[in-house]
Amino acid sequence: MSRESSDSKPIAEVRVGPDLFHALCWVASALAVATLAWIIYEIVTSAWPAIQKFGFGFLGSSSWVPNREVFGVFPFIVGTVASSFIAILFAFPLGLAIAIFLSENFLPAPVRQVIRFVVEMLAAIPSVVFGLWGIFVVIPIIKIFGDWAVKNLGGVPIFSGPAYGNSMLTASVVLALMILPTVTAISRNALTAVPKTLREGAYALGATRWEAILGVILPTAAPGVVAATILALGRAMGETMAVAMLIGNSSRLSWSLLSPGGTLAGLLANQFGEAEGLQVNSLMYAALILVVITLFVNVLGELVLRYTQSQTAGIR
Amino acid sequence: MTEDAARSSATQTPGRPDFLTVRNFDFFYGKKQALFDINMDIPEKRVTAFIGPSGCGKSTLLRNFNRMNELIEGVHYSGDIKLLGQSIYNKEVEVIALRRSIGMVFQKSNPFPKSIYENIVYGLRISGEKKKSVLDEAVERSLRGAALWDEVKDRLHESALGLSGGQMQRLCIARAIANRPKVLLMDEPCSALDPIATVKVEELIHELKQEFTIVIVTHNMQQATRCSDKTAFFYLGKLIEYAETQKIFSNPGQKQTEDYITGRFG
């Protein structure tokens, strides 16, 4: 009975679904592009006075003195890039190791499930909580390590004293934990997506488990691991609250990891509320630089991903 | 004459009838029994085909010869399998060494995402071979052995993933024989290939049996008749009949075999 009635529906009515869906897709994608363009337009217009006044010198100058209306963000660019790369240095090996353990059967499946859940839950912790945890837990530990390092490794520029609690190293360690779920989850997906046939092929040629992992499985999963790292890097660069709470927000440049530093995101968060006049324009200029850097990182990531994928096309 | 000397002199003679032997072999996936009391002798430098409907246990038995089934959790077995009189489950036989002496070609070709050259030398590299001359020689020998040399000799260092489906499967055969195995296991090697590529692989099997003992699982009965010397028919985990291929297909001894090869079931 119901089938008869649906059969007798006019053809035109059936087409409404796909057409509407088509239109919705267009609107949604246009909206996404338009939002990005709008944000950049807003930032550029508000930054314009500062751009006119300081030009590219803004990127290379190290003085940020609001009272005298002198602004330059070089230390904050360095701090953004350095803290993110140091965080990746910690998070990449750890995250990849966890991903390997989670994708292989070294541990019983229920244990793996628990570890996976816990690591992914790290992503659910609010940034400000990470910041508080950093203040109460990481800073005291870094302080102890810092005093030891200054005494014993003080000759190395990155460990020169005095050691502060609020430092580049503290911020990087907490950042590393914050991006660990990104590295782990995406790498794990890439590893488990390696076809079973490749694994078997390696074993059938007499490979041990580690030979199979290092020689065949990891290289095959490399595009995904690269993507994981770059996405994590992007996240670390834009991370604001925890970093602003831990890095010390200093505009003084230092080689030492134990000295305070600053990031672009931290600068914006700290100063925007009380800024006026040219300082607002300068902060918007800093925001523009941050957007350009993160866009660049993500585009680079896409390109690397596409290149590595084209190298492994045809095996999936 | 010592036993070892007797054994090695026996291997010199082509056509040792009990090259690979299976005795009272049962196999279980967890509680489910997949193979029931299998007994068979696989002859040296012959092609032995395993046929039977899906789920009959033919692939399971094949994957026991190089202990690939051990990668699955919860499997166990009873009985024994011997290669040249020595149990493959013997504590002294490392599974790594066993897999180097028993090569395997899979249903779906599985070249690694590396160059053609690196695919072939993978087995040698992991066994510690570093000399370039040895590796180069192995690449040419294996590719010639797999009838692929002329097609790829000018692009050995290009990705193996740029080859056609049939070439990829022959590359996998080349990769397996680069280890100079005693036995070559083939698990439905042509099921994903077009007819022309299939003919090439079948011709290759003919060539390879001069040097290797071959066991091939196939769903294609014409393939079994074309390229095997002996055929084993499996059904529901049991070895129903095992004889010369010609006899199996012209004058089967069992009703079930006859029903299967004439297409009445399966």
Side-chain angles (χ1 to χ4, degrees):
Chain A
M1 185 178 75
S2 63
R3 190 199 292 158
E4 273 169 28
S5 67
S6 75
D7 276 354
S8 61
K9 272 184 181 171
I11 291 167
E13 205 172 318
V14 181
R15 285 184 48 86
V16 167
D19 280 352
L20 187 67
F21 183 70
H22 191 78
L24 276 175
C25 284
W26 265 104
V27 171
S29 12
L31 217 58
V33 175
T35 311
L36 180 66
W38 191 13
I39 289 174
I40 292 176
Y41 170 78
E42 274 301 322
I43 296 174
V44 171
T45 42
S46 341
W48 196 246
I51 294 174
Q52 273 184 321
K53 176 140 194 235
F54 303 115
F56 283 113
F58 189 72
L59 281 75
S61 156
S62 295
S63 40
W64 182 277
V65 191
N67 295 341
R68 285 194 282 128
E69 297 210 319
V70 176
F71 299 102
V73 289
F74 184 64
F76 299 102
I77 295 176
V78 173
T80 302
V81 173
S83 61
S84 309
F85 272 93
I86 297 167
I88 285 286
L89 230 52
F90 292 130
F92 173 75
L94 188 60
L96 186 58
I98 296 174
I100 290 172
F101 272 86
L102 293 181
S103 63
E104 292 285 324
N105 56 354
F106 292 108
L107 302 166
V111 179
R112 276 183 279 154
Q113 277 296 323
V114 171
I115 296 176
R116 184 184 159 191
F117 181 74
V118 170
V119 172
E120 285 177 10
M121 276 307 102
L122 280 179
I125 298 176
S127 184
V128 65
V129 177
F130 266 108
L132 287 174
W133 180 77
I135 289 172
F136 290 112
V137 178
V138 182
I139 285 183
I141 297 172
I142 294 286
K143 193 83 176 73
I144 295 169
F145 168 78
D147 290 337
W148 176 86
V150 169
K151 200 185 289 171
N152 296 286
L153 307 163
V156 187
I158 57 168
F159 293 124
S160 60
Y164 291 84
N166 287 77
S167 65
M168 186 63 92
L169 186 59
T170 308
S172 302
V173 167
V174 174
L175 262 184
L177 276 174
M178 296 178 77
I179 60 177
L180 190 64
T182 310
V183 177
T184 306
I186 301 175
S187 302
R188 194 196 70 91
N189 285 346
L191 288 167
T192 48
V194 173
K196 203 179 99 207
T197 54
L198 284 191
R199 217 173 267 258
E200 289 186 330
Y203 285 132
L205 289 165
T208 62
R209 187 207 279 269
W210 281 109
E211 284 164 350
I213 291 173
L214 296 175
V216 173
I217 297 170
L218 264 184
T220 310
V225 176
V226 169
T229 310
I230 289 174
L231 285 173
L233 189 66
R235 190 177 163 209
M237 285 180 164
E239 178 49 51
T240 310
M241 198 61 216
V243 175
M245 290 165 79
L246 296 168
I247 201 163
N249 303 301
S250 155
S251 63
R252 248 193 64 232
L253 267 181
S254 167
W255 279 106
S256 177
L257 295 179
L258 306 168
S259 297
T263 66
L264 290 166
L267 176 75
L268 291 166
N270 277 320
Q271 303 205 350
F272 204 82
E274 288 140 34
E276 51 188 44
L278 191 60
Q279 192 179 356
V280 173
N281 306 131
S282 300
L283 287 171
M284 289 313 261
Y285 194 1
L288 179 64
I289 294 164
L290 181 60
V291 169
V292 169
I293 293 176
T294 47
L295 277 181
F296 174 76
V297 167
N298 281 297
V299 170
L300 183 74
E302 274 299 316
L303 292 178
V304 172
L305 191 61
R306 273 187 209 169
Y307 172 74
T308 42
Q309 270 175 347
S310 71
Q311 298 302 97
T312 58
I315 54 169
R316 282 165 214 252
Chain B
M1 216 198 265
T2 66
E3 200 185 306
D4 273 348
R7 188 182 294 161
S8 69
S9 74
T11 59
Q12 299 302 309
T13 343
R16 175 173 168 160
D18 57 347
F19 195 74
L20 189 61
T21 62
V22 185
R23 288 289 174 269
N24 308 321
F25 195 76
D26 296 320
F27 187 81
F28 302 81
Y29 292 108
K31 290 210 170 70
K32 189 179 172 292
Q33 186 163 4
L35 292 172
F36 297 84
D37 195 32
I38 308 292
N39 283 285
M40 67 190 303
D41 288 355
I42 290 169
E44 183 178 12
K45 295 186 181 173
R46 292 280 180 279
V47 179
T48 303
F50 288 3
I51 62 168
S54 298
C56 69
K58 55 194 192 304
S59 281
T60 301
L61 182 59
L62 191 81
R63 284 162 164 268
N64 267 302
F65 291 149
N66 62 348
R67 294 173 60 180
M68 284 298 277
N69 281 331
E70 288 175 18
L71 299 175
I72 304 164
E73 281 173 54
V75 298
H76 57 109
Y77 71 95
S78 67
D80 204 2
I81 297 173
K82 287 182 175 169
L83 176 64
L84 287 164
Q86 194 184 17
S87 171
I88 64 165
Y89 294 102
N90 191 320
K91 282 275 189 302
E92 285 161 39
V93 178
E94 260 192 275
V95 67
I96 303 302
L98 176 75
R99 290 186 189 144
R100 274 173 199 160
S101 59
I102 301 189
M104 188 163 202
V105 177
F106 295 82
Q107 182 171 3
K108 187 174 176 296
S109 66
N110 54 355
F112 302 137
K114 300 170 188 283
S115 69
I116 293 168
Y117 186 97
E118 284 302 322
N119 263 278
I120 307 268
V121 300
Y122 181 80
L124 296 167
R125 278 203 202 280
I126 58 176
S127 54
E129 185 57 64
K130 288 193 179 68
K131 267 207 227 133
K132 191 168 182 302
S133 58
V134 176
L135 298 176
D136 287 349
E137 185 276 330
V139 168
E140 180 166 353
R141 166 177 58 81
S142 309
L143 285 172
R144 282 192 192 282
L148 194 57
W149 175 252
D150 290 330
E151 291 163 59
V152 302
K153 65 182 176 204
D154 298 323
R155 48 175 175 144
L156 292 177
H157 296 283
E158 286 173 33
S159 171
L161 304 177
L163 298 173
S164 73
Q167 287 173 326
M168 279 194 204
Q169 192 61 302
R170 278 180 285 144
L171 176 71
C172 292
I173 294 172
R175 188 174 68 183
I177 63 179
N179 273 354
R180 290 188 186 274
K182 298 187 176 80
V183 180
L184 198 54
L185 308 174
M186 300 180 136
D187 192 356
E188 298 182 43
C190 301
S191 64
L193 301 184
D194 64 59
I196 292 166
T198 300
V199 169
K200 281 192 179 166
V201 171
E202 286 180 7
E203 285 170 357
L204 181 56
I205 290 170
H206 248 292
E207 292 295 313
L208 290 171
K209 76 172 182 181
Q210 312 294 325
E211 206 180 332
F212 303 100
T213 301
I214 296 173
V215 186
I216 177 171
V217 164
T218 178
H219 267 127
N220 180 333
M221 268 159 307
Q222 283 75 38
Q223 184 167 61
T225 55
R226 280 192 302 259
C227 61
S228 75
D229 301 298
K230 294 190 82 171
T231 296
F233 170 63
F234 292 83
Y235 185 57
L236 298 177
K238 297 192 177 81
L239 175 58
I240 304 296
E241 191 170 354
Y242 177 41
E244 297 296 321
T245 297
Q246 212 190 345
K247 177 172 184 306
I248 291 269
F249 285 97
S250 60
N251 185 20
Q254 301 288 327
K255 178 79 169 61
Q256 280 164 312
T257 316
E258 190 179 349
D259 286 350
Y260 182 68
I261 61 174
T262 52
R264 244 166 272 169
F265 74 92

